[in-house]
Amino acid sequence: MTGGKPPDHVKQIAERDEKIASPEAQVAEAAKNAGQLRGEIAGLTDGTKKEG
């Protein structure tokens, strides 16, 4: 490959990767939130969670 624009397959792979990155970030955020919620639920069910 010399200077100039990349071959079509390289461009297609880059576009695919960009489309994948957003849902991956959403899944990671949902997993983080789920972990926080599990901790809150555990605190509520074992009596260690304090109100206020």
Side-chain angles (χ1 to χ4, degrees), residues 4-24:
K5 70 181 204 178
D8 285 343
H9 70 276
V10 173
K11 183 179 175 187
Q12 290 171 345
I13 291 169
E15 289 171 352
R16 179 206 63 194
D17 289 349
E18 287 176 17
K19 290 178 184 177
I20 291 170
S22 178
E24 282 180 339

Side-chain angles (χ1 to χ4, degrees), residues 15-45:
E15 289 171 352
R16 179 206 63 194
D17 289 349
E18 287 176 17
K19 290 178 184 177
I20 291 170
S22 178
E24 282 180 339
Q26 291 173 347
V27 169
E29 183 68 21
K32 183 177 104 177
N33 291 340
Q36 291 173 343
L37 288 173
R38 275 194 293 276
E40 290 180 28
I41 291 168
L44 291 172
T45 57

